[in-house]
Amino acid sequence: MQIIITQNAGFCFGVERATKIAFDASKELDGDIYTLGPIIHNPQVVRSLEKKGIVAKKSLDDIKGGTVIIRSHGVTAEVLKSAEEKNLKTLDATCPFVKKAQKRVEKLSEEGYTVLVVGDAKHPEVQGIVSYASGDVYVAANVEELENLPHVEKLGIVAQTTQSQNNFNQIVDACMEKAREIKICNTICDATAVRQSESTNLAGRVDCMIVIGGLSSANTKRLASLCLEIQPNTHHIESAEEIGRSWFDGVGKVGITAGASTPSDVIEDVKKTIEAIAA
Ligand code: SF4
C-alpha cells in the first residue's frame, strides 16, 4: 500500500510559532503561566502543555497573576489592556498575519474610513480585528450580510485571515456601490487555501483519505468535508488510535493530510500505524 502525505500537512507558520512560544515559556519562565483559551485546536498539545504547568483559561477573570500567553488568532485590544491593568505579564503569540489585519483596521479608522471586516463575526480572530477600529466598523461573512452596511464616503475592507479569496472578491465587488472611495487590504493568509487545494488534489488520486486534526477545529472539519466530497472513503481522526483496519480493505493508495493545528509527531504516528496495517 502506498502512503502519500500532502506537502504542507500540519502546523502553519502562526501555529508553529505560538506553540514554540508556549513550550519555551514553560522552560524559561517562573511563576504561573496560562493561555487564554487553548493555544491551538489540538487536545494532545494542550494536554502536553498542561503537564508542563501551562493551563488554558477561558477568561482573564480566571487568572489572578503570572503570565498569560495570547494565542495565534489574537484577542481584542480591551483584553490586552485588562491584562496590563491586572499587572499580568503578556506573551503575545498572535500570528503576525493577524496582527497585520489588526493594524490595517487601526490605520483605516485613523484615516477616516468606515471599516468592513470580511469574516465570521463570532470568531475570536474577527472580534480581535474589529476591536482595533476607533470609528464605524461592520462585519460581513457573505454578500447577504452587507445589508446592514450603509452607503458611506470612504470604505476600508480587510479580511479574516482564513477567508476564501473567492468570497472576499464577491464581497469587494458587491461593495462597489456602497462607497465613493474604497481601500482594499487583502489580509488573507494562504495557509488554509494551500492545505485545501493540496488535500482535494490528493483525495482525487487515492482510494482512502485520512484527515488528521482536532474534531472541534473548523478548518480541519472543512478539510475533511472537502475531501469527503471527492473521496467517500475519507476519515477525520484526531490520533492514530482511531484508525479502523477495514478502511484499507482493497486500498492501493492512502492519502494523509492534516489541519494547521496538527503536530508532526501525530502525523508520523498515523503513517506508522497504517504501514503496520499494510505489512
Ligand atoms: S492560518 Fe495563517 S494567519 Fe492563521 S495562524 Fe496560520 S499562518 Fe497565521
Side-chain angles (χ1 to χ4, degrees):
M1 192 156 53
Q2 190 187 355
I3 300 170
I4 308 165
I5 304 177
T6 53
Q7 201 185 342
N8 287 285
F11 280 4
C12 64
F13 160 75
V15 166
E16 174 101 51
R17 179 176 171 274
T19 311
K20 184 173 184 313
I21 287 174
F23 279 100
D24 285 353
S26 73
K27 284 183 237 148
E28 292 160 11
L29 295 182
D30 295 325
D32 296 332
I33 309 174
Y34 303 94
T35 61
L36 207 45
I39 189 85
I40 60 171
H41 289 295
N42 183 280
Q44 292 99 324
V45 172
V46 173
R47 277 197 295 273
S48 162
L49 277 172
E50 266 171 20
K51 281 190 197 142
K52 293 183 181 298
I54 301 189
V55 183
K57 294 284 182 191
K58 274 196 183 139
S59 141
L60 280 183
D61 297 340
D62 305 325
I63 303 175
K64 304 288 172 243
T67 301
V68 61
I69 303 173
I70 307 298
R71 55 191 175 168
S72 57
H73 47 224
V75 289
T76 63
E78 292 79 25
V79 168
L80 277 183
K81 193 158 171 265
S82 318
E84 199 180 309
E85 283 165 4
K86 288 184 86 167
N87 285 323
L88 298 173
K89 183 174 161 49
T90 305
L91 273 185
D92 193 354
T94 306
C95 176
F97 297 127
V98 176
K99 271 268 181 240
K100 187 169 141 195
Q102 294 173 345
K103 290 217 158 75
R104 286 291 168 98
V105 165
E106 194 172 28
K107 189 147 187 279
L108 285 166
S109 276
E110 280 165 16
E111 291 170 354
Y113 287 87
T114 294
V115 174
L116 172 69
V117 181
V118 176
D120 170 6
K122 293 200 192 98
H123 194 284
E125 178 194 319
V126 173
Q127 290 165 347
I129 292 171
V130 162
S131 73
Y132 284 82
S134 50
D136 288 342
V137 56
Y138 296 83
V139 180
N142 47 48
V143 171
E144 291 71 46
E145 287 185 14
L146 284 178
E147 259 183 19
N148 302 327
L149 179 70
H151 190 280
V152 296
E153 191 62 24
K154 289 167 71 171
L155 181 66
I157 309 176
V158 302
Q160 178 180 2
T161 55
T162 47
Q163 277 295 295
S164 80
Q165 191 61 55
N166 194 24
N167 189 47
F168 185 67
N169 293 350
Q170 281 177 14
I171 292 183
V172 167
D173 281 352
C175 281
M176 288 303 165
E177 57 192 39
K178 292 274 190 183
R180 286 168 69 86
E181 182 191 328
I182 297 184
K183 194 167 192 174
I184 303 159
C185 307
N186 186 346
T187 47
I188 293 173
C189 152
D190 67 1
T192 307
V194 165
R195 273 159 190 72
Q196 288 180 355
S197 79
E198 283 181 355
S199 304
T200 48
N201 182 296
L202 183 58
R205 296 189 284 123
V206 295
D207 315 302
C208 174
M209 193 70 195
I210 306 293
V211 182
I212 318 165
L215 296 174
S216 62
S217 154
N219 282 326
T220 312
K221 280 197 277 187
R222 177 88 184 120
L223 212 50
S225 78
L226 287 171
C227 290
L228 190 64
E229 279 171 23
I230 294 163
Q231 172 50 259
N233 192 13
T234 290
H235 305 274
H236 179 180
I237 57 170
E238 275 188 356
S239 66
E241 289 81 63
E242 294 155 54
I243 290 175
R245 295 186 82 87
S246 62
W247 301 347
F248 308 101
D249 291 346
V251 163
K253 281 186 194 169
V254 183
I256 299 177
T257 187
S261 305
T262 307
S264 53
D265 54 344
V266 177
I267 301 172
E268 195 49 36
D269 268 3
V270 168
K271 182 172 171 256
K272 283 193 183 134
T273 304
I274 298 172
E275 279 169 350
I277 289 171

